[in-house]
Amino acid sequence: MLNFLPGSVLFFMSSLLLIINTTIWAGLISLGGIIKLFVPFTAGRDLLTKLMNRFMWAWATGNGGILHLLADIEWDIEGLENLDKKSWYLLISNHLSGLDIAVQTYVLRNNIPMLKFFLKRELMYIPFIGLGCWALDMPFMSRTSPAKLKKNPKLKGKDLISTRRACEKFKTMPTSIINYVEGSRFTKEKHRRQDSPYRYLLRPKAGGIAFTLSAMGEQFTNLLNVTVVYPEAKDDPLSEVMHGKIKKVVIRVQILPVPEVDNKRYFSEPQCRVDFQRWLNQVWEEKDEQIHQLMIKHGAVEADSTNAKQSLNQ
């Protein structure tokens, strides 16, 4: 292990290794996307998608190897026992840093299908990124702005129809889709600005997960409630792990039944949206307490801490 080296040296080495790892596998995925563009048969495209997912698996494995080499991470993981790579999962998770994706894809890569993200359709046209995501069958979605809907009410429901169409391929291909329901990564400033009622979390937003469930809820086997904690992190976990300052990563995975979302009632009846938001708030309240207990377990906070607004990154 190289964690005896100065932080600046570790940062340089980790940056270089992460760039090399990402460039190799992203390049191969993009190349596969170019080939996939010219394959006329569904079976051939599906075969290429499976190969691209193996490349993503290799990328995730490489990231884990880099963390092991530079930081000698101690992994505290629970909840993987009953997961299945042949099932369909919707994941919801707290979001702390750009490190989350690398950590979650690495930890879950052998237990569930490779993670996918709902992406804005505009990203499809960004060179390399759009092609690579398309090659991995990431679902692209269109979201019509309220202003456009006001001008043209006939567009209402079109987003859901197009998203359902984009997800048709997942009916025969086991899939995991992750949604960071806080909308962005946690920072102390965002936490204060929101006046969040949670100690370690931002307020969850129900719209994205409800949209996902209304588009393909019947396809999911389970909902996975994933909690990520970096007990030693003070500010930016990604920067700190690259400097060798983070030695522990905690992951908890809770298997939940898939909540039902009636797409007609949810988007037309305010009470349905209120009820769903209330359910999500309860999940987040329990997650906040779980994080607090994990922080106590790993010595990051005192057991008798009463600071209800304490940030995970303090």
Side-chain angles (χ1 to χ4, degrees), residues 148-165:
K148 286 186 177 181
L149 283 176
K150 188 174 181 180
K151 289 182 179 179
N152 188 358
K154 291 182 179 180
L155 294 176
K156 186 176 182 179
K158 295 291 185 181
D159 294 345
L160 189 59
I161 292 172
S162 63
T163 302
R164 279 184 175 274
R165 191 178 299 117

Side-chain angles (χ1 to χ4, degrees), residues 26 40 131 134 199 210 235:
L131 183 61
W134 178 80
R199 288 168 288 197
D235 187 19

Side-chain angles (χ1 to χ4, degrees), residues 268-286:
S268 62
E269 299 180 19
Q271 188 58 47
C272 286
R273 296 193 291 276
V274 169
D275 291 343
F276 189 77
Q277 183 69 61
R278 187 179 293 121
W279 167 82
L280 184 57
N281 289 347
Q282 180 61 38
V283 172
W284 236 236
E285 185 176 330
E286 294 170 2

Side-chain angles (χ1 to χ4, degrees), residues 96 154 156-157 167 224:
L96 299 167
K154 291 182 179 180
K156 186 176 182 179
C167 295
L224 300 184

